[in-house]
Amino acid sequence: ILNVEQSPQSLHVQEGDSTNFTCSFPSSNFYALHWYRWETAKSPEALFVMTLNGDEKKKGRISATLNTKEGYSYLYIKGSQPEDSATYLCASRSNDYKLSFGAGTTVTVRA
Amino acid sequence: DAEITQSPRHKITETGRQVTLACHQTWNHNNMFWYRQDLGHGLRLIHYSYGVQDTNKGEVSDGYSVSRSNTEDLPLTLESAASSQTSVYFCASSESGDGPYEQYFGPGTRLTVT
């Protein structure tokens, strides 16, 4: 079981502001880091999968970085919009196919 | 389009009853997973399978069982439902082989044990 931690647990952002939050994971036996976006009453939707130290991925206004040596990843939302309101889950994968999920960061964007 | 479905979407059952939650995927994925979602815990792995006739315990497997008789289905059975098993259950699947493949999630089943 990999101990994956996310912080903060929740945050409120004003529409138009940018924000970021953290996922930390054990760096030993690391294989991949996944980010999912999870809206209420829906199923988690994959955002990014990263494997290499220094990886950066971007999808629209959302981007993520990965530091495998120190065991953390940042997710950034630029110019937050109300539709960005969701819980963002990160999950770490070791040398098998299992994912260990953090508890998530719930983002609420206020108009 | 390929998809992953779960049924039922909502279920209310009584303590002590056996309950089976269905998961069906048309991705032809070898890997399938069952998670439960509880407040403050994110998603926790119950059982998983890497192929037909293969099943493995996850971190919260007590009181649950799975079977894999074909590629498409991984039903989750609660042998004797307990109130502590009230939760939302998600099934997921992924490709196998080399590569950091993402998991695709079903819509979830909300189970209430009274």
Side-chain angles (χ1 to χ4, degrees), chain B residues 6-21:
Chain B
Q6 294 182 233
S7 62
R9 295 293 311 278
H10 302 272
K11 174 78 176 178
I12 300 174
T13 191
E14 295 177 343
T15 301
R17 290 193 179 265
Q18 184 181 79
V19 177
T20 296
L21 310 182

Side-chain angles (χ1 to χ4, degrees), chain A residues 13-52:
Chain A
V13 189
Q14 197 66 34
E15 182 177 359
D17 287 350
S18 297
T19 189
N20 65 84
F21 37 94
T22 309
C23 171
S24 63
F25 54 90
S27 54
S28 60
N29 297 320
F30 172 83
Y31 185 84
L33 193 286
H34 297 243
W35 280 101
Y36 285 84
R37 182 174 182 276
W38 194 6
E39 292 184 69
T40 303
K42 294 186 178 180
S43 54
E45 177 187 343
L47 281 174
F48 307 115
V49 181
M50 296 179 288
T51 57
L52 300 176

Side-chain angles (χ1 to χ4, degrees), chain B:
Chain B
D1 287 344
E3 60 178 356
I4 180 166
T5 57
Q6 294 182 233
S7 62
R9 295 293 311 278
H10 302 272
K11 174 78 176 178
I12 300 174
T13 191
E14 295 177 343
T15 301
R17 290 193 179 265
Q18 184 181 79
V19 177
T20 296
L21 310 182
C23 175
H24 180 81
Q25 52 98 3
T26 58
W27 294 95
N28 200 35
H29 287 161
N30 283 327
N31 301 337
M32 296 185 73
F33 308 85
W34 272 105
Y35 297 91
R36 58 178 288 173
Q37 178 230 337
D38 300 297
L39 195 63
H41 288 278
L43 294 170
R44 292 188 291 175
L45 184 63
I46 305 171
H47 280 285
Y48 59 102
S49 169
Y50 291 152
V52 176
Q53 302 301 331
D54 176 76
T55 61
N56 306 280
K57 294 181 178 180
E59 63 178 297
V60 290
S61 61
D62 287 348
Y64 303 94
S65 64
V66 293
S67 60
R68 188 88 181 271
S69 59
N70 58 53
T71 299
E72 295 79 19
D73 299 289
L74 187 70
L76 177 71
T77 298
L78 285 69
E79 306 293 344
S80 176
S83 57
S84 59
Q85 294 176 308
T86 293
S87 186
V88 181
Y89 292 85
F90 286 95
C91 179
S93 71
S94 75
E95 292 182 64
S96 56
D98 290 336
Y101 302 113
E102 64 187 57
Q103 290 186 12
Y104 295 89
F105 284 82
T109 294
R110 182 174 295 276
L111 176 68
T112 302
V113 182
T114 61

Side-chain angles (χ1 to χ4, degrees), chain A residues 22-92:
Chain A
T22 309
C23 171
S24 63
F25 54 90
S27 54
S28 60
N29 297 320
F30 172 83
Y31 185 84
L33 193 286
H34 297 243
W35 280 101
Y36 285 84
R37 182 174 182 276
W38 194 6
E39 292 184 69
T40 303
K42 294 186 178 180
S43 54
E45 177 187 343
L47 281 174
F48 307 115
V49 181
M50 296 179 288
T51 57
L52 300 176
N53 185 46
D55 261 355
E56 293 187 27
K57 293 283 180 82
K58 185 176 181 181
K59 184 180 290 188
R61 293 177 291 96
I62 302 177
S63 61
T65 61
L66 178 66
N67 183 322
T68 61
K69 294 184 178 180
E70 297 181 40
Y72 65 84
S73 175
Y74 289 119
L75 191 85
Y76 300 87
I77 304 176
K78 183 179 179 182
S80 303
Q81 299 298 309
E83 58 264 30
D84 296 327
S85 296
T87 295
Y88 292 84
L89 295 172
C90 75
S92 181

